[in-house]
């Protein structure tokens, strides 16, 4: 009996001796876990806000020129809209502008030498015809007294002489106008027509530019929201594509009102994804000056917005997590 009684006492003694070591091991394990002043949920986002792009005119989408995940450069075409009517009007306006500009140059330069020479030849021809008509009339008047020319014939010859005199006056006026060149007011009028038609062409050409949706920034196509054959919905401001610059990622944390007062710029932070042991280091770079709705942008339209939060932007000190905009992460802030 004594041996059986001694065994429990011996085991109890061993347990007492072992307890300090066990306690130390547990403490070490606990101290190895990160200790944070506070934790919060956050979402990954681009440091510059994602751009929700809408078309500039109502039209059917003809082609989508990029896919989700493609990197794009600022100004790169992303989407093409149906614009046959606008392009036809633009072509006609450009043709009118070119014609008006050519006319203005001709007016400013004055007539060519060969045109002036042709006008001078018409004057000489008119002079010759007038001389012949006057000579015929003079001879007919001499024969009138002999009765060989009737009064009717004399009237015809006189009318012919007057017609030739009028033709000479007209040809002489045209030659003088060509020799003097365009009047100042004619030059101004021609230049004004050229400017007006050029402005019309530029306006319509600007309309054709709206037929192409272009990237406003260097970035990555996050989502293509509309496809070929669908209506652009420009008048309703409907987004057709989402583009963001993912070169600089941040975590946008929503700090509850209970902890909002204790957060400050420069605080160290750990960021992790639920279910992953990996931690990314960062620090608080921006703090909202007021409480309000969540501003960490997500592409999920059902995402809730909590009023009682203060937004904190956390920059990554090293390599950031995979650039997945809207990914929910957790943030632990170190005091």
């Amino acid at each position: 009996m004594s041996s059986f009684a001694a065994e429990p006492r011996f085991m109890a003694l061993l347990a007492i001796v072992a307890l300090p070591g066990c306690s130390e091991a547990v403490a070490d394990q606990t101290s190895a876990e990160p200790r944070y002043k506070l934790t919060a949920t956050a979402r990954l986002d681009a440091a510059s806000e994602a751009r929700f792009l809408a078309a500039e005119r109502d039209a059917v989408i003809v082609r989508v020129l990029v896919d989700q995940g493609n990197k794009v450069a600022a100004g790169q075409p992303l989407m093409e809209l149906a614009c046959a009517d606008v392009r036809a009007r633009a072509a006609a306006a450009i043709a009118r502008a070119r014609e008006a500009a050519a006319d203005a140059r001709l007016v400013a330069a004055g007539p060519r030498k060969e045109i002036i020479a042709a006008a001078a030849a018409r004057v000489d021809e008119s002079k010759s015809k007038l001389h012949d008509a006057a000579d015929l009339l003079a001879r007919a008047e001499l024969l009138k007294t002999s009765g060989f020319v009737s009064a009717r014939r004399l009237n015809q010859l006189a009318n012919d002489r007057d017609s030739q005199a009028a033709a000479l006056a007209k040809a002489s006026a045209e030659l003088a106008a060509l020799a003097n060149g365009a009047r100042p007011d004619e030059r101004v009028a021609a230049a004004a027509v050229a400017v007006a038609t050029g402005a019309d062409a530029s306006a319509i050409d600007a309309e054709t530019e709206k037929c192409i949706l272009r990237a406003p920034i260097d970035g990555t196509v996050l989502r293509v929201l509309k496809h070929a054959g669908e209506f652009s919905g420009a008048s309703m401001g409907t987004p057709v594509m989402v583009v963001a610059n993912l070169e600089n990622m941040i975590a946008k944390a929503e700090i509850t009102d209970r902890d909002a007062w204790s957060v400050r710029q420069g605080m160290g932070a750990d960021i992790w994804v639920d279910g992953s042991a990996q931690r990314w280091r960062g620090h608080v770079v921006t703090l909202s000056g007021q409480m309000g709705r969540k501003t960490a942008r997500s592409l999920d339209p059902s995402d809730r917005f909590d009023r009682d939060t203060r937004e904190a932007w956390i920059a990554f000190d090293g390599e950031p997590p995979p650039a997945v905009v809207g990914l929910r992460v957790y943030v632990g802030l170190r005091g």
Side-chain angles (χ1 to χ4, degrees):
M1 293 294 293
S2 60
S3 62
F4 288 104
E7 185 175 350
R9 288 197 298 271
F10 178 73
M11 296 300 294
L13 180 60
L14 288 177
I16 292 172
V17 173
L19 277 176
C22 290
S23 176
E24 184 177 355
V26 172
D28 290 343
Q29 184 177 359
T30 303
S31 63
E33 292 293 328
R35 301 181 66 87
Y36 301 116
K37 185 172 184 178
L38 62 95
T39 59
T41 58
R43 290 190 182 277
L44 292 185
D45 201 353
S48 58
E49 288 285 343
R51 307 292 182 90
F52 287 72
L53 308 182
E56 293 190 72
R57 70 186 307 267
D58 286 320
V60 175
I61 298 170
V62 176
R63 287 190 302 163
V64 178
L65 306 174
V66 293
D67 295 320
Q68 291 183 178
N70 287 166
K71 289 189 175 182
V72 295
Q76 178 178 335
L78 305 177
M79 186 176 287
E80 182 180 345
L81 306 178
C83 285
D85 56 334
V86 178
R87 290 193 174 95
R89 288 193 291 114
I94 290 172
R96 289 193 297 270
R98 289 174 177 171
E99 181 181 7
D103 290 342
R105 288 194 297 270
L106 288 176
V107 170
R112 297 190 297 270
K113 292 181 179 180
E114 57 269 26
I115 295 178
I116 295 176
R122 287 194 295 273
V123 170
D124 292 340
E125 182 182 5
S126 296
K127 287 180 179 179
S128 177
K129 289 181 178 180
L130 176 59
H131 180 271
D132 292 343
D135 185 60
L136 285 175
L137 178 60
R139 284 185 291 171
E141 287 177 342
L142 291 175
L143 295 174
K144 178 182 178 183
T145 57
S146 303
F148 291 103
V149 178
S150 64
R152 181 179 179 182
R153 175 60 179 166
L154 283 175
N155 288 334
Q156 289 177 345
L157 292 174
N159 290 337
D160 185 50
R161 182 203 58 189
D162 294 341
S163 296
Q164 294 302 327
L168 175 60
K170 180 181 178 181
S172 299
E174 290 176 350
L175 176 60
L178 290 173
N180 294 330
R183 298 193 306 271
D185 56 336
E186 291 175 333
R187 294 191 183 95
V188 171
V193 171
V195 170
T197 54
D200 290 342
S202 297
I204 298 177
D205 189 55
E207 285 295 317
T208 62
E209 181 60 26
K210 295 179 181 179
C211 300
I212 301 293
L213 177 66
R214 299 181 183 275
I217 57 172
D218 294 339
T220 301
V221 178
L222 300 184
R223 290 189 66 181
V224 177
L225 302 174
K226 285 186 175 288
H227 301 84
E230 296 185 271
F231 191 67
S232 65
S235 59
M236 297 179 289
T238 305
V240 296
M241 195 171 293
V242 184
V243 176
N245 187 337
L246 304 183
E247 294 297 325
N248 296 313
M249 296 296 294
I250 59 172
K252 290 184 176 180
E254 288 82 35
I255 312 300
T256 61
D257 52 359
R258 180 185 60 190
D259 299 316
W261 64 273
S262 63
V263 184
R264 65 183 185 279
Q265 288 187 357
M267 289 183 70
D270 289 338
I271 303 96
W272 67 93
V273 180
D274 188 26
S276 172
Q278 184 173 359
R279 297 289 195 272
W280 290 272
R281 288 296 182 95
H283 62 282
V284 177
V285 292
T286 302
L287 284 170
S288 172
Q290 62 181 3
M291 306 296 289
R293 294 179 181 271
K294 290 183 180 180
T295 56
R297 200 63 187 268
S298 167
L299 298 180
D300 183 3
S302 64
D303 191 21
R304 294 180 61 246
F305 289 86
D306 189 348
R307 288 183 179 276
D308 299 327
T309 59
R310 183 185 188 188
E311 185 177 77
W313 287 23
I314 300 168
F316 292 93
D317 293 336
E319 188 70 20
V324 181
V325 173
L327 177 66
R328 183 179 294 277
V329 296
Y330 295 90
V331 171
L333 297 180
R334 299 187 297 274

